[in-house]
Amino acid sequence: QQQVKQSPQSLIVQKGGIPIINCAYENTAFDYFPWYQQFPGKGPALLIAIRPDVSEKKEGRFTISFNKSAKQFSLHIMDSQPGDSATYFCAASLPHQDNYGQNFVFGPGTRLSVLP
Amino acid sequence: ETGVTQTPRHLVMGMTNKKSLKCEQHLGHNAMYWYKQSAKKPLELMFVYSLEERVENNSVPSRFSPECPNSSHLFLHLHTLQPEDSALYLCASSQGLRQETQYFGPGTRLLVL
């Protein structure tokens, strides 16, 4: 129940295309859903995040769509560029509880390649 | 750079060796984390420290021993590791524990022979 499923495992698109990465979760107690971007040789970096009280959030070319009833959320990258080639991780977090750290559960990642 | 540094960046060790990974954050954060990243597997949270106290330990084998001497430094002491422990070990920090953004270091690539 603590898992976050992510698909596809890898994705190849042409420059300008709109890659879509999907994630699904089971635990309805999750209330924070960030996406991380990781380039080779670097640690993951927060890209964009959403809470379940909104159905969509957009930051620049990156958009999260959230479907609370289906327990699914997805990342869309508009006008993708070769520089977007990276591994993308979705995650889900439980609310903060006293004396416990963040309990982030990460998806297994999607390796995106954007061809020039 | 994210303000979180890790050393060494690469480490090769035998199963009988003892080594330590170091993490330092320059962001003034008060929570620090160790994660394990293996190929084709989700990031695994290993340890969480808040104000230098361990607040989470996700059933990590005792051959991994964390140490947090102050809020800026975090160590992971390694001894008698197994080949399956080979992975990228990531350190992260955040300001507090309330679903704040975690800032990751570049990781230490560990190979256990």
Side-chain angles (χ1 to χ4, degrees), chain A residues 9 31-32 36 38 41-44 46 51 89 93-96 99-104 106-108, chain B residues 1 9 33 35 37 40 42-43 45 48 55-56 88 90 94 96-102 104-106:
Chain A
Q9 187 175 349
D31 71 344
Y32 179 65
Y36 282 81
Q38 185 177 23
K42 304 278 189 182
L46 180 69
R51 295 190 184 276
F89 297 92
S93 173
L94 295 170
H96 165 72
N99 299 320
Y100 287 92
Q102 299 177 58
N103 191 358
F104 271 70
F106 285 84
Chain B
E1 297 300 324
R9 293 294 308 276
Y33 313 79
Y35 285 88
Q37 186 174 35
K40 299 183 180 179
L43 276 165
L45 179 64
V48 181
V55 296
E56 190 88 16
L88 181 69
L90 291 161
S94 67
L97 302 176
R98 290 184 172 274
Q99 295 177 336
E100 299 288 338
T101 299
Q102 293 185 37
F104 285 84

Coordinates of all heavy atoms in Angstrom, one line a residue, chain A residues 9 31-32 36 38 41-44 46 51 89 93-96 99-104 106-108, chain B residues 1 9 33 35 37 40 42-43 45 48 55-56 88 90 94 96-102 104-106:
Chain A
Q9 N 8.7 2.8 -18.2 CA 10.0 2.7 -17.6 C 11.0 3.6 -18.4 O 11.9 4.2 -17.8 CB 10.5 1.3 -17.7 CG 11.8 1.0 -17.0 CD 12.1 -0.5 -16.9 OE1 11.3 -1.3 -17.3 NE2 13.3 -0.8 -16.6
D31 N -0.7 12.9 0.7 CA -1.3 14.2 0.5 C -0.3 15.2 -0.2 O -0.5 16.4 -0.2 CB -1.9 14.8 1.7 CG -0.8 15.3 2.7 OD1 0.3 14.8 2.6 OD2 -1.2 16.0 3.7
Y32 N 0.8 14.7 -0.7 CA 1.8 15.6 -1.3 C 2.5 14.8 -2.4 O 3.0 13.7 -2.1 CB 2.8 16.1 -0.3 CG 3.9 17.0 -0.8 CD1 3.6 18.3 -1.4 CD2 5.2 16.7 -0.7 CE1 4.6 19.1 -1.8 CE2 6.2 17.5 -1.2 CZ 5.9 18.7 -1.7 OH 6.9 19.5 -2.2
Y36 N 10.5 14.6 -9.3 CA 11.9 14.9 -9.2 C 12.6 14.6 -10.6 O 12.1 13.7 -11.3 CB 12.7 14.1 -8.2 CG 12.5 14.7 -6.8 CD1 11.3 14.4 -6.0 CD2 13.4 15.5 -6.2 CE1 11.1 14.9 -4.8 CE2 13.3 16.0 -4.9 CZ 12.1 15.7 -4.2 OH 11.9 16.2 -2.9
Q38 N 16.3 13.9 -12.5 CA 17.7 13.5 -12.1 C 18.5 13.4 -13.4 O 18.2 12.6 -14.3 CB 17.7 12.2 -11.3 CG 19.1 11.8 -10.9 CD 19.1 10.6 -10.0 OE1 18.2 9.7 -10.1 NE2 20.2 10.4 -9.2
G41 N 24.9 11.6 -13.0 CA 25.9 12.1 -12.1 C 25.4 13.1 -11.1 O 26.2 13.7 -10.4
K42 N 24.1 13.4 -11.0 CA 23.6 14.3 -10.1 C 22.5 13.7 -9.2 O 22.0 12.6 -9.6 CB 22.9 15.5 -10.9 CG 23.8 16.2 -11.9 CD 24.6 17.2 -11.2 CE 25.4 18.1 -12.2 NZ 26.2 19.1 -11.5
G43 N 22.2 14.3 -8.1 CA 21.1 13.8 -7.3 C 19.8 14.3 -7.9 O 19.8 15.2 -8.7
P44 N 18.7 13.7 -7.5 CA 17.4 14.2 -7.9 C 17.1 15.6 -7.4 O 17.6 16.1 -6.4 CB 16.4 13.3 -7.2 CG 17.2 12.1 -6.8 CD 18.6 12.6 -6.6
L46 N 13.9 18.6 -7.1 CA 12.5 18.9 -7.2 C 12.2 19.7 -8.5 O 12.7 20.7 -8.7 CB 12.0 19.6 -6.0 CG 10.5 19.9 -6.0 CD1 9.7 18.6 -5.8 CD2 10.2 20.9 -4.8
R51 N -0.7 19.1 -4.5 CA -1.5 18.5 -3.4 C -2.8 18.2 -4.0 O -3.3 18.7 -5.0 CB -1.6 19.6 -2.3 CG -0.3 19.9 -1.6 CD -0.4 20.7 -0.3 NE 0.9 21.0 0.2 CZ 1.6 20.2 1.0 NH1 1.2 19.0 1.3 NH2 2.8 20.6 1.4
F89 N 11.3 11.0 -11.5 CA 10.7 10.2 -10.4 C 9.4 10.9 -9.9 O 9.5 12.1 -9.6 CB 11.7 10.0 -9.3 CG 12.9 9.3 -9.6 CD1 14.1 10.0 -10.0 CD2 13.0 7.9 -9.5 CE1 15.2 9.3 -10.3 CE2 14.1 7.2 -9.8 CZ 15.3 7.9 -10.2
S93 N 4.0 11.5 -0.4 CA 4.4 11.7 0.9 C 3.2 11.7 1.9 O 2.1 12.3 1.5 CB 5.1 13.0 1.1 OG 5.4 13.4 2.4
L94 N 3.4 11.2 3.0 CA 2.3 11.2 4.1 C 2.4 12.5 4.8 O 3.5 13.1 4.8 CB 2.5 10.0 5.0 CG 2.4 8.6 4.4 CD1 2.8 7.6 5.4 CD2 0.9 8.4 4.0
P95 N 1.3 12.9 5.5 CA 1.4 14.1 6.3 C 2.4 14.0 7.4 O 2.7 12.9 7.9 CB 0.0 14.2 6.8 CG -0.9 13.4 6.0 CD 0.0 12.3 5.5
H96 N 2.9 15.1 7.8 CA 3.9 15.1 8.8 C 3.3 14.6 10.1 O 2.1 14.9 10.4 CB 4.4 16.6 9.1 CG 5.1 16.8 10.4 ND1 6.4 16.3 10.6 CD2 4.7 17.4 11.5 CE1 6.7 16.6 11.8 NE2 5.8 17.3 12.4
N99 N 7.6 13.8 15.6 CA 8.7 13.0 15.8 C 9.0 12.0 14.7 O 9.8 11.1 14.9 CB 8.5 12.2 17.1 CG 8.3 13.1 18.3 OD1 9.0 14.1 18.4 ND2 7.4 12.8 19.2
Y100 N 8.5 12.2 13.6 CA 8.8 11.3 12.4 C 9.2 12.2 11.3 O 8.6 13.3 11.1 CB 7.7 10.4 12.0 CG 7.5 9.3 13.0 CD1 6.6 9.4 14.1 CD2 8.2 8.1 12.9 CE1 6.4 8.4 15.0 CE2 8.0 7.1 13.8 CZ 7.1 7.2 14.8 OH 7.0 6.2 15.7
G101 N 10.2 11.8 10.5 CA 10.6 12.5 9.3 C 9.6 12.3 8.2 O 8.6 11.6 8.3
Q102 N 9.9 13.0 7.1 CA 9.1 12.8 5.9 C 9.2 11.4 5.5 O 10.2 10.7 5.6 CB 9.7 13.7 4.8 CG 9.7 15.2 5.2 CD 10.3 16.0 4.1 OE1 9.9 15.9 2.9 NE2 11.3 16.7 4.4
N103 N 8.1 10.9 5.1 CA 8.0 9.5 4.6 C 7.7 9.5 3.1 O 6.5 9.4 2.7 CB 7.0 8.7 5.4 CG 7.1 7.2 5.1 OD1 8.0 6.8 4.3 ND2 6.3 6.4 5.8
F104 N 8.7 9.8 2.3 CA 8.5 9.9 0.9 C 8.6 8.5 0.3 O 9.6 7.7 0.6 CB 9.6 10.7 0.3 CG 9.3 12.2 0.2 CD1 9.2 13.0 1.3 CD2 9.0 12.8 -1.0 CE1 8.9 14.3 1.2 CE2 8.7 14.1 -1.1 CZ 8.6 14.9 0.0
F106 N 9.0 6.8 -3.4 CA 9.3 7.2 -4.8 C 8.9 6.1 -5.8 O 8.9 4.9 -5.4 CB 10.9 7.4 -4.9 CG 11.4 8.7 -4.3 CD1 11.7 8.7 -3.0 CD2 11.5 9.8 -5.1 CE1 12.2 9.9 -2.4 CE2 12.0 11.0 -4.6 CZ 12.3 11.0 -3.2
G107 N 8.5 6.5 -6.9 CA 8.3 5.6 -8.0 C 9.7 5.1 -8.6 O 10.7 5.7 -8.2
P108 N 9.7 4.1 -9.4 CA 11.0 3.5 -9.9 C 11.7 4.4 -10.9 O 12.9 4.1 -11.2 CB 10.6 2.2 -10.5 CG 9.2 2.3 -10.8 CD 8.6 3.3 -9.8
Chain B
E1 N 24.8 23.9 -8.3 CA 24.9 23.0 -7.1 C 23.8 23.2 -6.1 O 23.3 24.3 -6.0 CB 26.3 23.2 -6.4 CG 27.5 22.9 -7.3 CD 27.5 21.5 -7.7 OE1 27.1 20.6 -6.9 OE2 28.0 21.2 -8.8
R9 N 32.9 10.6 -4.1 CA 31.9 10.5 -5.2 C 31.9 9.0 -5.7 O 30.8 8.6 -6.1 CB 32.3 11.4 -6.3 CG 32.1 12.9 -6.0 CD 30.7 13.3 -5.7 NE 29.8 12.8 -6.8 CZ 29.5 13.5 -7.9 NH1 30.1 14.7 -8.1 NH2 28.7 13.0 -8.8
Y33 N 19.0 13.2 5.4 CA 18.5 11.9 5.1 C 19.6 11.1 4.3 O 20.4 11.7 3.6 CB 17.3 12.0 4.1 CG 16.2 13.0 4.5 CD1 16.4 14.4 4.3 CD2 15.1 12.6 5.1 CE1 15.5 15.3 4.7 CE2 14.1 13.5 5.5 CZ 14.3 14.9 5.3 OH 13.4 15.8 5.7
Y35 N 19.5 8.0 1.4 CA 18.8 7.2 0.5 C 19.7 6.2 -0.2 O 20.9 6.6 -0.4 CB 18.1 8.0 -0.6 CG 16.9 8.8 -0.1 CD1 17.0 10.1 0.4 CD2 15.6 8.3 -0.3 CE1 15.9 10.8 0.8 CE2 14.5 9.0 0.1 CZ 14.6 10.3 0.6 OH 13.5 11.0 1.0
Q37 N 19.9 4.3 -3.9 CA 19.4 4.2 -5.2 C 20.0 3.1 -6.0 O 21.2 3.2 -6.3 CB 19.6 5.6 -6.0 CG 18.8 5.6 -7.3 CD 18.9 7.0 -8.0 OE1 19.9 7.7 -7.9 NE2 17.9 7.3 -8.7
K40 N 17.0 0.5 -11.5 CA 15.6 0.0 -11.8 C 14.8 -0.2 -10.6 O 13.8 -1.0 -10.6 CB 15.7 -1.2 -12.7 CG 16.3 -1.0 -14.0 CD 16.3 -2.2 -14.9 CE 17.0 -1.9 -16.3 NZ 17.0 -3.1 -17.2
P42 N 13.0 1.8 -7.0 CA 12.7 3.1 -6.4 C 13.8 3.5 -5.4 O 14.4 2.7 -4.8 CB 11.4 2.9 -5.7 CG 10.8 1.6 -6.3 CD 12.0 0.8 -6.7
L43 N 13.9 4.8 -5.2 CA 14.7 5.3 -4.1 C 14.3 4.8 -2.8 O 13.1 4.8 -2.5 CB 14.6 6.8 -4.1 CG 15.5 7.6 -5.0 CD1 15.1 9.1 -5.1 CD2 17.0 7.6 -4.5
L45 N 14.4 5.1 1.2 CA 14.8 5.9 2.4 C 15.5 5.0 3.4 O 14.9 4.0 3.8 CB 13.6 6.7 3.0 CG 13.8 7.5 4.2 CD1 14.8 8.7 3.9 CD2 12.5 8.0 4.7
V48 N 16.6 9.0 8.7 CA 16.2 10.4 8.7 C 16.7 11.0 10.1 O 16.5 10.3 11.1 CB 14.7 10.6 8.7 CG1 14.3 12.1 8.7 CG2 14.1 10.0 7.4
V55 N 15.2 10.0 13.6 CA 13.7 9.9 13.7 C 13.1 8.8 12.9 O 12.0 8.5 13.0 CB 13.0 11.2 13.4 CG1 13.5 12.3 14.4 CG2 13.3 11.7 12.0
E56 N 13.9 8.2 12.0 CA 13.4 7.2 11.1 C 14.5 6.2 10.8 O 15.6 6.7 10.5 CB 12.9 7.8 9.8 CG 12.1 6.9 8.9 CD 10.6 6.8 9.3 OE1 10.1 7.7 10.0 OE2 9.9 5.9 8.9
L88 N 24.0 3.7 -5.6 CA 24.3 5.1 -5.4 C 23.7 5.5 -4.1 O 22.5 5.3 -3.9 CB 23.7 5.9 -6.5 CG 23.9 7.4 -6.5 CD1 25.4 7.7 -6.7 CD2 23.1 8.1 -7.5
L90 N 22.6 8.4 -1.7 CA 22.3 9.8 -1.8 C 22.0 10.4 -0.4 O 21.3 9.8 0.4 CB 21.0 10.0 -2.7 CG 21.2 9.8 -4.2 CD1 19.9 9.5 -4.8 CD2 21.9 10.9 -4.8
S94 N 16.6 19.0 4.3 CA 15.4 19.9 4.2 C 15.3 20.8 5.4 O 15.9 20.5 6.5 CB 14.1 19.0 4.0 OG 13.8 18.3 5.2
G96 N 13.2 21.5 8.2 CA 12.1 20.9 8.9 C 11.6 19.6 8.2 O 12.1 19.1 7.3
L97 N 10.5 19.1 8.8 CA 10.0 17.8 8.4 C 8.6 17.9 7.8 O 8.0 16.9 7.5 CB 10.0 16.9 9.7 CG 11.3 16.7 10.4 CD1 11.1 15.8 11.6 CD2 12.3 16.0 9.5
R98 N 8.1 19.1 7.5 CA 6.8 19.2 7.0 C 6.7 19.2 5.5 O 6.4 20.2 4.9 CB 6.1 20.5 7.6 CG 5.8 20.5 9.0 CD 5.1 21.7 9.5 NE 4.7 21.6 10.8 CZ 3.5 21.1 11.2 NH1 2.7 20.6 10.3 NH2 3.2 21.1 12.5
Q99 N 7.0 18.1 4.9 CA 6.9 17.9 3.5 C 7.7 19.0 2.8 O 7.3 19.5 1.7 CB 5.5 17.9 3.0 CG 4.8 16.6 3.6 CD 3.3 16.6 3.2 OE1 2.7 17.6 2.9 NE2 2.7 15.4 3.2
E100 N 8.7 19.5 3.4 CA 9.5 20.5 2.7 C 10.3 19.9 1.6 O 10.6 18.7 1.6 CB 10.5 21.1 3.7 CG 9.9 21.8 4.9 CD 9.2 23.1 4.5 OE1 9.6 23.7 3.5 OE2 8.3 23.6 5.2
T101 N 10.7 20.7 0.6 CA 11.5 20.3 -0.5 C 12.8 19.7 0.1 O 13.5 20.3 0.9 CB 11.9 21.4 -1.4 OG1 10.7 21.9 -1.9 CG2 12.8 20.9 -2.6
Q102 N 13.2 18.5 -0.4 CA 14.5 17.9 -0.1 C 15.5 18.2 -1.2 O 15.2 18.1 -2.4 CB 14.3 16.4 0.0 CG 13.4 15.9 1.1 CD 13.4 14.4 1.3 OE1 14.4 13.7 1.0 NE2 12.2 13.9 1.7
F104 N 19.0 17.2 -2.7 CA 19.9 16.1 -2.8 C 21.3 16.4 -3.1 O 21.6 17.3 -3.9 CB 19.4 15.1 -3.8 CG 18.2 14.3 -3.4 CD1 16.9 14.8 -3.5 CD2 18.3 13.0 -2.8 CE1 15.8 14.1 -3.1 CE2 17.2 12.3 -2.4 CZ 15.9 12.8 -2.6
G105 N 22.2 15.7 -2.6 CA 23.6 15.8 -3.0 C 23.8 14.9 -4.3 O 22.9 14.2 -4.7
P106 N 25.0 14.9 -4.9 CA 25.2 14.2 -6.1 C 25.4 12.7 -5.9 O 25.4 11.9 -6.9 CB 26.6 14.8 -6.6 CG 27.2 15.2 -5.4 CD 26.2 15.7 -4.4

